Amino acid sequence: LFSKGRYQVIEGIISPVNDDYGKKGLVSARHRIAMAKLALETSDWIRVDPWESEQETWTETVKVLRHHYNESLGLLQSKKEFMKNKWPIERSTEDSFSHQHSVLPELKLLCGADFLQTFKTPNLWKEEHIKEIVEKFGLVCISRAGSHPAQYINESDLLTKFQHNIFLVKEWIQNEISATQIRYALCRGLSVKYLVPDSVISYIAHHNIYTEESERKNEGDLLQPLKLHNTTVNPLND
């Protein structure tokens, strides 16, 4: 996709989910943000953005995408104004800069291919949100063992309609490490060296994050989108 020159990647954004999402075993956002920052210390293009985790409650994915897209547009406009007002420049240079920034940036949701399957989970997603994500933004899906993204797309009329905006990326050097497996290993006292950065391992050990107790957090709770759906469908009587 990107190697073929279709896009120029400006940056990658990691947006840790809000604590209120309610996923089983979800540790505090402050820890997840700190670990992500440690893991990205050597990256020159991926950054952690805490905005989503800092909201008062869980924010739907499409609203997070809208936020980051509007932020990128605002940054682009600021750069244009800065270059325009900094000093008088030759017309040729100005034209070159204008041409370079004439194409609006695009924001795409990066995910594992199994993510597509979650669109079929009843009440987890709003249909209009799925439509906006795949139509306005688009998806970049990384292949994962056991997942069949092309099949997931084919089974959905909506995803089929916008499949031109869903990019399936084949990982030729497969990496099947999962966060779930890492957490289970830590709970059992097994080594995860070479699976995550040493700085992250040190942080986990120092704060004693992943334990049998932490894995039980939110156990039995519904995910926030499912909880909100149930509240809407079955309002409490006075």
Side-chain angles (χ1 to χ4, degrees):
L1 171 64
F2 307 112
S3 61
K4 294 180 180 178
R6 180 161 182 178
Y7 291 100
Q8 177 185 353
V9 179
I10 300 172
E11 67 170 350
I13 303 171
I14 289 181
S15 181
V17 73
N18 190 281
D19 287 342
D20 282 350
Y21 184 54
K23 183 178 180 181
K24 183 177 178 293
L26 187 67
V27 302
S28 170
R30 70 183 181 89
H31 288 315
R32 289 182 281 115
I33 289 168
M35 289 185 289
K37 286 182 175 179
L38 287 171
L40 295 172
E41 281 180 330
T42 58
S43 175
D44 59 1
W45 69 280
I46 308 176
R47 66 179 175 85
V48 182
D49 193 306
W51 180 86
E52 180 179 356
S53 66
E54 291 173 346
Q55 301 310 295
E56 291 186 3
T57 186
W58 169 74
T59 304
E60 292 161 311
T61 300
V62 72
K63 295 178 181 178
V64 178
L65 290 170
R66 290 174 194 161
H67 164 77
H68 288 301
Y69 182 69
N70 290 332
E71 287 283 299
S72 68
L73 289 182
L75 183 60
L76 178 64
Q77 187 59 39
S78 297
K79 286 182 177 179
K80 282 185 176 180
E81 292 298 322
F82 176 78
M83 293 300 294
K84 182 178 179 181
N85 299 324
K86 188 175 182 182
W87 56 70
I89 52 179
E90 296 180 5
R91 184 69 186 175
S92 59
T93 307
E94 185 176 6
D95 288 345
S96 174
F97 181 81
S98 298
H99 176 72
Q100 183 182 354
H101 293 81
S102 61
V103 178
L104 290 177
E106 293 187 28
L107 178 67
K108 301 198 178 297
L109 180 60
L110 179 67
C111 59
D114 52 336
F115 176 84
L116 295 178
Q117 202 170 13
T118 69
F119 287 152
K120 297 171 63 177
T121 304
N123 307 320
L124 185 62
W125 295 88
K126 294 177 182 177
E127 189 79 1
E128 63 269 25
H129 286 183
I130 299 175
K131 182 176 184 293
E132 183 175 345
I133 289 171
V134 294
E135 179 181 22
K136 180 179 177 181
F137 298 105
L139 299 172
V140 177
C141 301
I142 309 297
S143 60
R144 298 193 73 169
S147 294
H148 309 283
Q151 178 183 328
Y152 303 151
I153 294 171
N154 188 54
E155 292 173 349
S156 166
D157 291 339
L158 183 57
L159 296 183
T160 298
K161 181 178 179 180
F162 297 105
Q163 61 183 319
H164 62 277
N165 212 17
I166 303 175
F167 303 95
L168 305 181
V169 179
K170 176 70 176 178
E171 285 280 57
W172 297 109
I173 303 177
Q174 296 199 358
N175 180 353
E176 298 303 330
I177 296 173
S178 75
T180 302
Q181 292 170 339
I182 296 293
R183 294 198 310 273
Y184 285 170
L186 289 166
C187 286
R188 294 163 183 163
L190 302 176
S191 173
V192 294
K193 191 172 178 63
Y194 310 118
L195 299 178
V196 294
D198 287 347
S199 57
V200 176
I201 295 175
S202 297
Y203 183 94
I204 291 170
H206 179 73
H207 294 277
N208 192 30
I209 298 175
Y210 294 114
T211 62
E212 289 185 10
E213 182 182 355
S214 73
E215 281 300 295
R216 289 193 297 269
K217 185 177 180 182
N218 300 321
E219 191 172 33
D221 285 355
L222 286 174
L223 294 177
Q224 188 66 6
L226 300 178
K227 193 180 294 183
L228 291 173
H229 175 80
N230 283 357
T231 303
T232 304
V233 174
N234 300 307
L236 296 174
N237 295 322
D238 293 332

